């Protein structure tokens, strides 16, 4: 089988561009309207995309308590829906598309997370995926009454969290349920296992109280690009979302991540690397550039400055707009790789702060591509064949229009080139991503006390 | 307006009777099939019922680690779906029916719970309700690495939990969102409030990162019948699910609960009391009794004994089946009121253990009514007019058949008698339950630091 691209649609409100809500092609009132997201999922499914994805954080914004940040936030579309709740409602109106939600390992309990994803996997017939994050923000810690844990501590917790969740997903063997009505035997409880996990962060007895789901394990996705993040991805992730600005950086990240797999007994093809791109599509290049300009004209610098200040740790005011980004010394906690990416971008291209805001407004550090469907397909093809990507995380600047433009114009171009499917190959998200279904670690094992009880 | 009954459909797998999964009118494979629950929600909506409700616990079963209990559990339909995830999928295929999920205050964080219910409320257009439980079971504690908190401690935490959740639901004023595209003002962030809660159990800054939902506060439901439980209900609950076997007990509970309201500045009509009933419906009384007998014949005593042992704290074996329930001295932790109800029932009617198992198999302590639609309507009417109920929590023995029987035969009888609606009066669950929409406690308040920042 020829190697094919995998495509995920990253859904975000009425678009990834920070001024999307002001553009005439969006309807900002749809931010909390489930029908909007259902329409997006159906468009993605019409385009045969592998999956849709919802990002998340557990605080309104980085630093809402600060008067200046709060003031700037007036300009941003805030207050959307919780991803897992939303994905079930999308499962109900789609049949094939994968459904990936972000959930933090820092402010949750593994039992709840294992159970909700197992439920979503049942509800969707095997289409659930979990984007694992560790919640770098200080505002998030303040919503859970704790001091923000260190980067190392968050990843140590995440590692044990994954260990527990995967045990819980395995706690029901595939053939535990008998449903023998005549004999009165619903389940073979010898095939339902307590996990008795006792570790540094968690003590969880199990078993899960939701039976084994269609995929066995919902798909594991990860997006951190720090050392810890890449190591974590190499160990657990089956798809990786990443922000890479240049082909060289993309190749380097790709090779680095794949190289780390062997240490965990995993193969090159066990993880898909999907860089983000925000495609600004026009039927001519000029039309695409006009749309890009329209969006840029709607940017409100105060908002971008507040975002950039938070991302870089540098306090930036409007006076700074037409000067280069100041030298940086202070290290911020978390999101280091995104911070480095942004600073490198400004340096490499000699951008003023205003120009940098324009570049970030489209994709918050992800690559923005403006052009015709052919030009965009060229770029995706180049990265795909140059060892920088197994597919892409599509981040349309405006929604739903930017997604339907991609599905109606870029997808057919990729299909004609033999780079993308004409129809779904599989029934589950794992099958469409070409990934195996994990067996239960307990399969075959029988607990002695049960044998005795019988 | 004449006073009308309110009806909730309590959905549980393929039926409330413990042997439902063995009955020829059910399909046990539907336990984790979302289409089953979607069909149930549509049937309830066809009957103009106020709401559907999903119970929950965060452990597979009371004492799965014990070999004997695990052995008995072979006979029970286990391992269903997580309620909140499921309700979103039901919201997607219905328009009017209220959607109530059980979530524990003991093993959750208020920020997550507030957000998920606000999201469900948005997704359903104002149909979300939360059944608040405090998780009495020891097995639940073992899934979260903690020693089971005492009854008093669980209720103290629940009280503060509610306080935080309601503040978070209020943190966005109703008119916080402006969506002024021309001026570039999405929100009036002066109307989005940090809550800065700092209490004994929780420290939560807020605001919520989901905007104010259609109902303001999703409906609050409660089902505990202990002293603490009733006090908690009087303070917060807007609907109360309760198990009452006799009219006298029902009247006493109803009067007791309503009497407690004044202390919290609440009116008689601010809380609906909904006793549970499991209606076994036949077109003749004989047909109803035959169905009841069919179900009873499918009971497996070993399973019922394990359940009853857990409920009463008495270790019961098969030798005990044809003798009266032994005298009880040991107190169990939690679920005291259900324990008392069961012991009183056995004493009052002089039941053997086997007979008691038969009585409990239908509704786990809730009232089982077998009869014609008219006979069942008579019973509901009697309790409704005798001051024992504002409506009922309907627990069909088999699903979907028992629910469609109720909707197609009992509901029309109640409608003809003027006791139940012919169509939905309102748009939201609150409107159909006849309950007011809470205002945000922050409405009108302006934070000084914001005024300064401007």
């Amino acid at each position: 089988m020829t190697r094919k691209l995998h495509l995920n649609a990253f859904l975000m409100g009425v678009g990834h561009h920070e001024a999307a809500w002001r553009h005439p092609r969006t309807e900002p009132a749809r931010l909390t309207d489930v029908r909007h997201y259902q329409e997006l999922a159906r468009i993605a499914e019409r385009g045969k995309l592998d999956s849709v994805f919802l990002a998340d954080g557990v605080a309104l914004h980085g630093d809402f308590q600060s008067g200046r940040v709060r003031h700037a936030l007036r300009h941003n579309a805030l207050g959307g829906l919780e991803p897992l709740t939303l994905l079930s409602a999308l499962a109900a109106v789609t049949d094939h598309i994968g459904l990936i939600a972000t959930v933090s390992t820092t402010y949750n309990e593994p039992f709840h997370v294992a159970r909700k994803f197992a439920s979503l996997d049942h509800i969707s017939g095997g289409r659930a995926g979990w984007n694992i994050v560790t919640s770098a923000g200080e505002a998030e810690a303040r919503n859970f009454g704790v001091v923000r844990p260190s980067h190392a501590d968050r990843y140590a917790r995440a590692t044990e969290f994954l260990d527990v969740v995967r045990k819980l997903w395995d706690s029901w063997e595939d053939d535990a349920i008998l449903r023998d009505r005549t004999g009165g035997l619903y389940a073979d409880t010898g095939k339902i296992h307590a996990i008795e996990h006792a570790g540094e962060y968690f003590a969880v007895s199990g078993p899960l109280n939701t039976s084994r789901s269609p995929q066995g394990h919902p798909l594991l996705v990860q997006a951190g690009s720090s050392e810890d993040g890449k190591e974590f991805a190499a160990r657990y992730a089956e798809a990786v979302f990443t922000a890479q600005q240049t082909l060289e950086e993309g190749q380097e990240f790709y090779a680095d991540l794949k190289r780390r797999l062997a240490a965990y007994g995993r193969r090159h093809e066990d993880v898909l690397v999907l860089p983000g791109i925000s495609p600004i599509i026009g039927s001519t290049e000029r039309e695409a550039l006009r749309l890009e300009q329209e969006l840029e004209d709607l940017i409100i610098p105060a908002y971008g400055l507040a975002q950039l200040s938070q991302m870089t740790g540098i306090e930036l005011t409007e006076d700074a707009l037409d000067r280069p980004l100041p030298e940086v010394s202070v290290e911020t906690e978390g999101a280091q790789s995104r911070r480095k990416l942004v600073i490198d971008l400004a340096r490499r291209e000699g951008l003023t702060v205003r120009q940098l805001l324009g570049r970030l407004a489209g994709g918050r550090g992800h690559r923005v591509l403006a052009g015709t469907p052919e030009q965009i397909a060229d770029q995706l093809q180049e990265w795909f064949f140059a060892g920088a990507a197994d597919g892409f995380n599509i981040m349309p600047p405006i929604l739903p229009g930017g997604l339907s433009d991609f599905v109606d114009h870029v997808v057919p171009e990729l299909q004609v080139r033999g780079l993308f499917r004409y129809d779904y190959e599989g029934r589950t998200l794992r099958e469409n991503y070409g990934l195996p279904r994990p067996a239960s670690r307990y399969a075959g094992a029988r607990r002695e006390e049960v044998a005795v009880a019988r």
Side-chain angles (χ1 to χ4, degrees), chain A residues 224 229-231 233-234 240 252-262 271-273:
Chain A
K230 281 188 280 195
E231 227 24 60
V240 171
E252 196 183 313
F253 178 86
Y254 186 94
D256 180 13
L257 194 73
K258 300 270 180 172
R259 199 182 304 121
R260 293 172 194 252
L261 295 171
V271 180
L272 305 173
V273 175

Side-chain angles (χ1 to χ4, degrees), chain A residues 395-406:
Chain A
M395 303 166 58
I398 52 172
L399 287 167
L403 182 60
S404 51
D405 286 351
F406 185 85

Side-chain angles (χ1 to χ4, degrees), chain A residues 169-244:
Chain A
W169 284 337
D170 285 345
S171 63
W172 291 59
E173 294 183 40
D174 285 317
D175 55 353
I177 298 181
L178 306 170
R179 295 191 199 96
D180 170 5
R181 300 168 90 160
T182 315
L185 290 175
Y186 183 81
D188 179 349
T189 46
K191 293 187 174 181
I192 305 173
H193 303 269
I195 69 165
E196 299 300 1
H197 176 92
E200 193 181 340
Y201 293 89
F202 304 109
V204 180
S205 284
L208 201 60
N209 56 348
T210 293
S211 62
R212 186 138 164 113
S213 74
Q215 292 188 106
H217 297 185
L219 191 81
L220 298 178
V221 182
Q222 212 263 355
S225 296
S226 66
E227 269 302 301
D228 285 340
K230 281 188 280 195
E231 227 24 60
F232 186 85
R235 184 162 177 181
Y236 292 116
E238 300 170 291
V240 171
F241 297 150
T242 180
Q244 303 296 335

